[in-house]
Amino acid sequence: MLESVLRYILDWPVVVEFFRSYAWGWPLMETAHFVGLTLLLGIVGFFDLRLLGLAKGLPVAPLRKLLPWGVFGFVLAVSSGLAFVFGVRANISIHPYEVLINDVFLQWKLVFLGLAGLNLFAFYKTGMSKAVDDLGPGDDAPPLAKVIAGASLVSWIGVVYFGRLIPWGQFSAQ
Amino acid sequence: MDFLASIENSGLMTWLRESPSVLAYPTLLAFHTFGMAFLVGSSSALALRCLGVARDLPLGPMNGLFSVVHAGLWVSALSGLLLILIDARTFLTMPAFYIKMAAIVGALVLMWSLRAEVFARAGATTVAVSHKGRVQAATMLVLWLVATTAGRVTAYAPFIGWETAGAVLVTTIVLLAGVWVVSRLMRPAHPVSSRSSVHKAV
């Protein structure tokens, strides 16, 4: 049941057709993926590092206004990433469901992505998101905010590392 | 070419290129990606600040971010050097590679000029960016996009690379127009209140 649903929703013939028709389609999505992850890591990483004590002279509330550009990077990376999944048959002639259940690096990437999401949820749920807004120039973040900031850095680095390994994973069962 | 071939065929380069371990070539590529993310991503955060994003953020303390930028530069430069040596004859005869290198050199020069122009001389509460600083920041962002695109298309035939460059240009213009429209729509109805928050932060 779950398999047939996934087989249906993960494969988009229109995206496969797009990649087959235009040779620039795949490298365009790769470039968007890289620009996206660069903005995401550069800006979210900057925010995390401030909470951990780098460039402590910065007040946190105004720093938050950079974050929408990190979110923009995330949206770029997710959109291009979904294009790779939906259109993967244009590249390797294997159904994306096969890749999903066989490629351990893709699976690790999704695990780290889930951790990044849970960590973000914890950032709001524990009240740390509100607490760090009061941090002025020179103020130290609460220990829990530092733990969450460190976990954020580790999980995004995990996402990028295992994402880069995906092409070396096993695509189908044999 | 003989010299390049002997480097390519050395033990370390052969291992990096041909080892089935993901700790060899794939991990080297991943380090190049981390280096890029911290060099280009952090310096882009600095450039976005110069272009008016988070304009209440004081410029002086942002100078501390250059330690991350420089760490990213070292990681991407060293991993990049190994990636060249693994397949030297391919990269050193490829136009996209030279376009990438020229764009990186230009972006680094602009990045350090931007540091001298804006961040190094700013005080703990300075928020104003000079016109020169804004031009340097915008040009650096364009060069980082050129470098990232050129780096990516080294894996493709030259004509696909040029087509991709055109597609990246069109996509960038469309996305920036979209960002501009969204930021206009989300602008607060009373500009007076956003001004007062600037003074509070200063």
Side-chain angles (χ1 to χ4, degrees):
Chain A
M1 166 63 186
L2 182 63
E3 177 179 343
S4 53
V5 171
L6 283 173
R7 276 188 183 277
Y8 181 71
I9 60 170
L10 290 179
D11 182 58
W12 289 38
V14 62
V15 179
V16 177
E17 201 46 49
F18 166 76
F19 284 135
R20 282 188 180 143
S21 309
Y22 303 101
W24 47 265
W26 196 273
L28 172 68
M29 291 302 156
E30 288 178 329
T31 305
H33 208 63
F34 278 28
V35 171
L37 82 86
T38 298
L39 280 173
L40 175 67
L41 244 73
I43 291 168
V44 174
F46 179 21
F47 188 76
D48 292 336
L49 287 168
R50 162 60 185 92
L51 297 184
L52 288 170
L54 180 101
K56 239 187 197 176
L58 292 171
V60 171
L63 180 58
R64 269 197 125 112
K65 293 189 185 148
L66 269 177
L67 289 178
W69 283 88
V71 175
F72 174 71
F74 179 73
V75 171
L76 263 186
V78 169
S79 326
S80 49
L82 286 175
F84 297 142
V85 173
F86 296 156
V88 78
R89 281 197 297 118
N91 202 357
I92 56 172
S93 308
I94 295 171
H95 193 285
Y97 176 79
E98 296 290 325
V99 183
L100 181 67
I101 58 163
N102 286 297
D103 193 322
V104 287
F105 301 128
L106 175 58
Q107 293 166 1
W108 273 116
K109 172 176 181 165
L110 294 174
V111 167
F112 276 93
L113 203 54
L115 287 176
L118 283 175
N119 190 56
L120 185 64
F121 181 72
F123 184 56
Y124 284 95
K125 204 67 190 168
T126 56
M128 283 303 121
S129 170
K130 269 201 146 86
V132 299
D133 269 345
D134 296 331
L135 298 175
D139 288 348
D140 212 25
L144 182 58
K146 287 189 177 179
V147 170
I148 293 175
S152 164
L153 276 174
V154 170
S155 40
W156 287 117
I157 285 175
V159 170
V160 173
Y161 182 64
F162 288 109
R164 200 65 195 81
L165 297 193
I166 289 172
W168 285 271
Q170 195 182 321
F171 296 143
S172 56
Q174 259 142 47
Chain B
M1 287 306 241
D2 282 349
F3 173 64
L4 295 178
S6 61
I7 292 176
E8 282 177 29
N9 294 329
S10 67
L12 174 63
M13 296 309 150
T14 306
W15 177 76
L16 278 172
R17 189 174 54 239
E18 291 165 18
S19 166
S21 167
V22 291
L23 294 176
Y25 183 68
T27 295
L28 182 60
L29 276 179
F31 271 89
H32 201 55
T33 310
F34 293 137
M36 171 189 73
F38 287 104
L39 166 64
V40 179
S42 308
S43 62
S44 298
L46 294 165
L48 286 170
R49 168 62 189 85
C50 291
L51 293 171
V53 181
R55 58 177 77 235
D56 332 346
L57 200 56
L59 297 163
M62 289 192 88
N63 203 25
L65 193 57
F66 275 94
S67 57
V68 179
V69 170
H70 290 146
L73 174 58
W74 277 108
V75 172
S76 51
L78 292 174
S79 56
L81 182 64
L82 287 172
L83 286 167
I84 294 168
L85 295 178
I86 281 175
D87 200 3
R89 286 171 296 179
T90 306
F91 282 113
L92 298 181
T93 54
M94 189 185 272
F97 172 76
Y98 289 99
I99 293 171
K100 172 177 172 174
M101 287 304 123
I104 290 173
V105 168
L108 288 176
V109 168
L110 281 162
M111 185 180 87
W112 286 316
S113 330
L114 188 66
R115 182 182 197 184
E117 169 70 22
V118 175
F119 297 100
R121 61 162 75 160
T125 57
T126 311
V127 290
V129 178
S130 65
H131 177 72
K132 189 180 167 196
R134 291 198 296 270
V135 173
Q136 287 171 333
T139 315
M140 185 190 76
L141 286 176
V142 171
L143 289 177
W144 280 143
L145 182 62
V146 171
T148 307
T149 308
R152 191 68 300 254
V153 302
T154 54
Y156 294 85
F159 73 97
I160 297 177
W162 287 112
E163 283 182 353
T164 305
V168 168
L169 178 66
V170 172
T171 309
T172 305
I173 292 170
V174 170
L175 286 177
L176 286 182
V179 166
W180 184 78
V181 169
V182 169
S183 68
R184 289 304 292 249
L185 292 175
M186 284 169 51
R187 190 165 286 183
H190 305 290
V192 181
S193 64
S194 76
R195 271 193 73 82
S196 66
S197 75
V198 171
H199 291 298
K200 197 179 124 208
V202 171

